[in-house]
Amino acid sequence: MNSNVLTEDFKSILKDKNIDFGQLKNSTVLISGATGFIGSMLIKCLIYANQNLNLNITIYGLARNKEKLYKIFNDEEISLFGVFYGDITQPYSSYIPQNIDIDYIFHTANITTSSYMITHPISTILIAIDGTRQMLDLAVSTKVKSFIYISSMEMYGSFASTDSDFACTENDLGFIDPLKVRSDYPESKRMCENMCIAYAAENKVPVKIARLSQTFGAGILPWENRIFAQFAHSVMYSQDIILHTAGLSEGNYCYISDTLRGLFTILLCGQNSEAYNVVNERAHTTIAKMAEMVCHDIAHENIKVIFDIPDDNKFGYAADTKLKLSGKKLESLGWMPQFNLKDMYIRLIKYLEETQKGQ
């Protein structure tokens, strides 16, 4: 572990008395999307749990790109988990060995880059649909104890409500325009969730769905360029924040260690065939307000916000959304987020200074 911030985060996760990590002792866990942020952090957290709680968890990661994997994990970490390489849209038997025992699956593999969703909409849909089907088929064949599907807040779509107190629960559903190319991602998320429920009903797969808000913090990938990473780098290098939209979209955020605690809570305490929002309600804001907060509270007015809005959507940003997620259902299981938005940025920047600055 080459980061004090990561070590602190993992230590805090293991101290969560709401999560009985002992239930994972001597089990086998497979994480698809091992080179993604959520997938890689799940693997690193489980490695840390093995080292500090003597859990003897067998950890497997599923990845497509070996070179990318070695940019995320150091040699010691790679020696502590197994890796399967393959295209998740292809039959799982082509990359998962026969007769392997798997107790738990976290299906995190997905497209997360907006520009890719615009330029490769077919691939975006097929990776979601075909990849989820393969992981669910694997879950059937191995008779897993639990299957966690990583969904997104984007599946909710947009709401017309002007009620500022409205917080979207897991039972609410907004509008998605299927005639918009960028709808490939949220529409495929909805379909994958329903596929999970179909496998639960027909094949008795114990599925649980985690609808993640925008998650960031220590451990973000070196090539991460989403807006939170751009803001953090602006602070680090004393560069003004450039917004290519008016920043009116409402963002729902959660720090990475809070999200990981949420996922383990859902895995071990959640109900089958149920969905849970993983969100810090205190970290809800618009993009523009978050930019101003970063300039004022984090950069101490050394940088400012500049709006540079193109005529076309060449950056692939989703349409402005008015969405405030409720985290009450997950909180009812004993989970509570620990870090507010300011703390999230402080920890993220500290991590980046430890690992990236000067490269």
Side-chain angles (χ1 to χ4, degrees), residues 148-166:
I148 302 296
Y149 175 66
I150 304 300
S151 189
S152 166
M153 65 181 182
E154 282 204 36
M155 66 78 58
Y156 284 112
S158 59
F159 293 84
S161 173
T162 58
D163 182 359
S164 60
D165 293 327
F166 172 73

Side-chain angles (χ1 to χ4, degrees), residues 243-255:
L243 291 184
H244 297 298
T245 72
L248 301 179
S249 283
E250 296 181 1
N252 298 266
Y253 302 95
C254 197
Y255 186 67

Side-chain angles (χ1 to χ4, degrees), residues 6-72:
L6 272 186
T7 300
E8 292 170 1
D9 286 347
F10 292 152
K11 187 179 295 184
S12 71
I13 293 171
L14 298 191
K15 287 182 177 179
D16 190 331
K17 296 181 179 179
N18 188 57
I19 304 171
D20 180 11
F21 282 97
Q23 293 185 51
L24 300 178
K25 190 175 180 66
N26 299 320
S27 67
T28 299
V29 181
L30 172 71
I31 298 99
S32 71
T35 58
F37 180 40
I38 301 299
S40 63
M41 289 296 287
L42 279 167
I43 291 172
K44 291 187 178 190
C45 186
L46 288 172
I47 289 173
Y48 187 84
N50 269 346
Q51 293 173 330
N52 290 272
L53 297 180
N54 192 30
L55 295 177
N56 191 38
I57 301 170
T58 300
I59 307 164
Y60 291 118
L62 174 59
R64 185 168 57 176
N65 190 313
K66 184 175 182 179
E67 181 181 356
K68 197 173 181 182
L69 187 86
Y70 275 76
K71 290 180 179 178
I72 298 172

Side-chain angles (χ1 to χ4, degrees), residues 30-33 60-65 82-100 102 105 107 109 126-139 147:
L30 172 71
I31 298 99
S32 71
Y60 291 118
L62 174 59
R64 185 168 57 176
N65 190 313
V83 185
F84 304 132
Y85 294 102
D87 181 346
I88 199 170
T89 66
Q90 299 303 307
Y92 70 84
S93 58
S94 65
Y95 46 82
I96 302 293
Q98 290 184 346
N99 302 320
I100 187 172
I102 299 175
I105 294 177
H107 178 37
L126 293 181
I127 287 172
I129 302 298
D130 293 342
T132 301
R133 178 187 176 185
Q134 292 305 318
M135 291 298 97
L136 285 167
D137 282 341
L138 176 63
F147 181 101

Side-chain angles (χ1 to χ4, degrees), residues 7 11 23 76 90 95 97 102 110 114 138 146 152 192 195 206 224 232 240 243 269 275-276 327 339 354:
T7 300
K11 187 179 295 184
Q23 293 185 51
E76 179 185 1
Q90 299 303 307
Y95 46 82
I102 299 175
N110 204 23
S114 285
L138 176 63
S146 192
S152 166
C192 287
M195 193 187 306
E224 179 62 76
D240 291 335
L243 291 184
C269 306
Y276 297 87
F339 298 100
E354 286 180 329

Side-chain angles (χ1 to χ4, degrees), residues 98-131:
Q98 290 184 346
N99 302 320
I100 187 172
D101 292 324
I102 299 175
D103 298 299
Y104 302 100
I105 294 177
F106 286 95
H107 178 37
T108 80
N110 204 23
I111 299 300
T112 59
T113 306
S114 285
S115 58
Y116 187 95
M117 298 170 193
I118 293 289
T119 57
H120 299 82
I122 297 174
S123 178
T124 297
I125 293 170
L126 293 181
I127 287 172
I129 302 298
D130 293 342

Side-chain angles (χ1 to χ4, degrees), residues 72-287:
I72 298 172
F73 299 95
N74 60 40
D75 290 341
E76 179 185 1
E77 290 170 332
I78 289 175
S79 70
L80 298 173
F81 70 100
V83 185
F84 304 132
Y85 294 102
D87 181 346
I88 199 170
T89 66
Q90 299 303 307
Y92 70 84
S93 58
S94 65
Y95 46 82
I96 302 293
Q98 290 184 346
N99 302 320
I100 187 172
D101 292 324
I102 299 175
D103 298 299
Y104 302 100
I105 294 177
F106 286 95
H107 178 37
T108 80
N110 204 23
I111 299 300
T112 59
T113 306
S114 285
S115 58
Y116 187 95
M117 298 170 193
I118 293 289
T119 57
H120 299 82
I122 297 174
S123 178
T124 297
I125 293 170
L126 293 181
I127 287 172
I129 302 298
D130 293 342
T132 301
R133 178 187 176 185
Q134 292 305 318
M135 291 298 97
L136 285 167
D137 282 341
L138 176 63
V140 173
S141 69
T142 57
K143 297 180 173 59
V144 298
K145 296 178 181 177
S146 192
F147 181 101
I148 302 296
Y149 175 66
I150 304 300
S151 189
S152 166
M153 65 181 182
E154 282 204 36
M155 66 78 58
Y156 284 112
S158 59
F159 293 84
S161 173
T162 58
D163 182 359
S164 60
D165 293 327
F166 172 73
C168 179
T169 73
E170 290 78 359
N171 295 323
D172 298 309
L173 203 61
F175 172 74
I176 297 175
D177 186 351
L179 300 184
K180 299 292 186 181
V181 171
R182 182 55 177 76
S183 297
D184 54 355
Y185 180 75
E187 289 280 31
S188 63
K189 282 296 186 184
R190 285 187 177 182
M191 187 67 252
C192 287
E193 286 197 18
N194 189 246
M195 193 187 306
C196 288
I197 298 305
Y199 270 76
E202 189 170 334
N203 295 317
K204 311 304 179 186
V205 178
V207 300
K208 304 178 181 78
I209 297 166
R211 294 172 179 165
L212 301 193
S213 56
Q214 189 81 273
T215 299
F216 69 88
I220 67 167
L221 304 179
W223 46 83
E224 179 62 76
N225 195 43
R226 279 177 288 180
I227 197 163
F228 52 80
Q230 295 177 27
F231 287 6
H233 284 119
S234 291
V235 174
M236 290 172 62
Y237 299 105
S238 299
Q239 298 172 343
D240 291 335
I241 291 177
I242 311 295
L243 291 184
H244 297 298
T245 72
L248 301 179
S249 283
E250 296 181 1
N252 298 266
Y253 302 95
C254 197
Y255 186 67
I256 180 61
S257 66
D258 287 336
T259 294
L260 294 179
R261 289 191 303 104
L263 293 179
F264 286 121
T265 299
I266 295 169
L267 179 75
L268 300 175
C269 306
Q271 294 295 312
N272 291 336
S273 301
E274 291 285 339
Y276 297 87
N277 293 335
V278 185
V279 62
N280 183 344
E281 292 189 34
R282 295 178 299 157
H284 172 267
T285 187
T286 66
I287 301 297

